[in-house]
């Protein structure tokens, strides 16, 4: 290998190490933090950051000086997700769960500080819950949102909770970080989250996260229905079904629950 090729390879490795460091931080990293994480000289980091920004792999917040994954980086990551089409893989389990409960089953992913609905099996009942695909729900006031939040590690969860506005969707919404933190502890212990008319009056929901091979949440599986049909006892029963299906889905995708999560036993 020529000296020029060797130098190019070293530059590539350094650039990739910077991308890897930035991808692991939800709030972004400063130049100094990147230098510390990659053990590179600040001058080297500065030069590589400029190159990565020029190709849209990274972007910088000019007010905070924090670097985050850019559009090109997102597109590459999204290509990986598409290559592992878990939505199609999980659809048979969603259909089975909807048949079992008689209610609408949703699949949601974390999108910023919201839960984004990406797949749905509608209930056959005339009165049913329907969330348009692509719609967003608040993390503090929805079953899927709270499940995704609780599934994150403590550092990520705290960072995200600090960004929430805690808007009151109904008179039952958890409207403070303290109350949500207490709820998250229960969710972690039970492995499922409940939305008892916290997002929409007259609608009940229970959800559980699905994990990947590193123990990070891929998505959340939920069952939702009207309160007149989904009574408290029925909701708890649906919770058992959701938890079981989420465990099966995690296994199907080759995932494992994180250390802080409820035991599968």
């Amino acid at each position: 290998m020529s000296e020029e090729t060797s130098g190019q390879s070293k530059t590539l490795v350094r650039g990739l190490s910077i991308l890897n460091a930035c991808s692991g931080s939800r709030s972004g990293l400063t130049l100094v933090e990147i230098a510390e994480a990659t053990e590179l000289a600040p001058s080297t980091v500065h030069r590589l950051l400029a190159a990565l920004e020029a190709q849209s792999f990274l972007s910088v917040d000019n007010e905070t000086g924090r670097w985050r994954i850019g559009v090109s980086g997102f597109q590459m990551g999204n290509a990986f997700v598409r290559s592992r089409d878990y939505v199609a893989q999980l659809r048979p389990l969603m259909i089975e769960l909807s048949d079992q409960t008689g209610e609408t089953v949703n699949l949601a992913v974390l999108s910023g500080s919201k839960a984004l609905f990406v797949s749905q099996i509608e209930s056959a009942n005339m009165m049913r819950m329907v969330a348009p695909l692509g719609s967003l729900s608040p993390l503090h006031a929805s079953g899927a949102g709270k499940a995704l939040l609780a599934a994150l590690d403590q550092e990520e969860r705290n960072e995200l909770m600090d960004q929430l506005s805690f808007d009151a969707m109904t008179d039952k919404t958890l409207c403070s970080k303290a109350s949500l933190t207490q709820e998250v502890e229960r969710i972690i212990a039970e492995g499922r989250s409940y939305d008892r008319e916290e997002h929409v009056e007259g609608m009940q929901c229970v959800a559980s996260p699905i994990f990947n091979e590193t123990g990070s949440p891929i998505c959340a599986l939920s069952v939702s229905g009207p309160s007149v049909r989904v009574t408290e006892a029925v909701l708890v029963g649906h919770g058992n079904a959701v938890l079981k299906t989420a465990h099966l889905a995690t296994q199907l995708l080759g995932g494992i629950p994180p250390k802080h999560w409820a035991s599968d036993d």
Side-chain angles (χ1 to χ4, degrees):
M1 181 182 294
S2 67
E3 290 186 8
E4 181 180 357
T5 302
S6 177
Q8 291 173 345
S9 298
K10 186 178 293 186
T11 299
L12 176 60
V13 170
R14 288 173 172 176
L16 291 174
S17 70
I18 290 175
L19 285 174
N20 188 53
C22 291
S23 68
S25 174
R26 186 177 297 278
S27 59
L29 297 175
T30 64
L31 187 151
V32 172
E33 290 171 336
I34 294 171
E36 291 176 351
T38 58
E39 298 183 349
L40 295 173
S43 58
T44 300
V45 172
H46 182 270
R47 175 171 53 82
L48 292 172
L49 285 175
L52 290 167
E53 182 183 26
Q55 296 297 319
S56 298
F57 281 99
L58 290 177
S59 63
V60 63
D61 185 323
N62 291 322
E63 292 186 3
T64 64
R66 291 188 172 275
W67 291 81
R68 298 179 177 84
I69 294 297
V71 173
S72 295
F74 172 79
Q75 289 173 339
M76 290 189 70
N78 208 34
F80 172 72
V81 172
R82 287 196 303 271
S83 72
R84 302 178 63 190
D85 191 0
Y86 61 85
V87 173
Q89 287 181 274
L90 298 180
R91 195 164 182 82
L93 290 179
M94 293 174 66
I95 294 172
E96 185 177 340
L97 182 59
S98 183
D99 289 342
Q100 181 182 349
T101 61
E103 301 298 344
T104 296
V105 173
N106 282 298
L107 209 61
V109 299
L110 191 62
S111 178
S113 58
K114 302 279 187 178
L116 171 69
F117 291 102
V118 296
S119 185
Q120 183 178 87
I121 304 298
E122 285 190 36
S123 167
N125 290 297
M126 185 173 294
M127 184 186 296
R128 61 186 183 270
M129 180 274 190
V130 177
L133 295 185
S135 62
L136 297 164
S137 287
L139 296 185
H140 71 292
S142 62
K146 289 191 291 184
L148 289 166
L149 188 63
L152 296 172
D153 65 47
Q154 188 170 1
E155 182 179 354
E156 287 184 297
R157 190 188 318 130
N158 286 336
E159 288 183 6
L160 198 48
M161 288 175 70
D162 286 338
Q163 299 173 27
L164 302 182
S165 58
F166 293 100
D167 296 328
M169 314 302 292
T170 73
D171 60 4
K172 297 181 180 179
T173 303
L174 300 176
C175 293
S176 70
K177 183 177 179 179
S179 61
L180 182 59
T181 298
Q182 185 175 6
E183 175 78 350
V184 163
E185 291 175 355
R186 185 200 61 75
I187 294 169
I188 291 171
E190 296 184 8
R192 72 197 81 176
S193 64
Y194 291 101
D195 166 9
R196 294 178 170 93
E197 301 186 60
E198 297 162 40
H199 186 206
V200 177
E201 290 185 10
M203 297 300 296
Q204 306 253 54
C205 174
V206 59
S208 188
I210 296 167
F211 299 100
N212 65 15
E213 65 277 5
T214 65
S216 297
I218 301 174
C219 54
L221 184 71
S222 69
V223 167
S224 304
S227 308
V228 292
R229 188 167 62 240
V230 183
T231 61
E232 181 62 24
V234 171
L235 184 64
V236 172
H238 288 350
N240 294 332
V242 168
L243 184 60
K244 181 179 179 181
T245 303
H247 286 163
L248 289 174
T250 293
Q251 293 173 359
L252 176 66
L253 299 179
I256 55 170
K259 293 180 179 179
H260 77 277
W261 198 247
S263 171
D264 290 2
D265 295 337

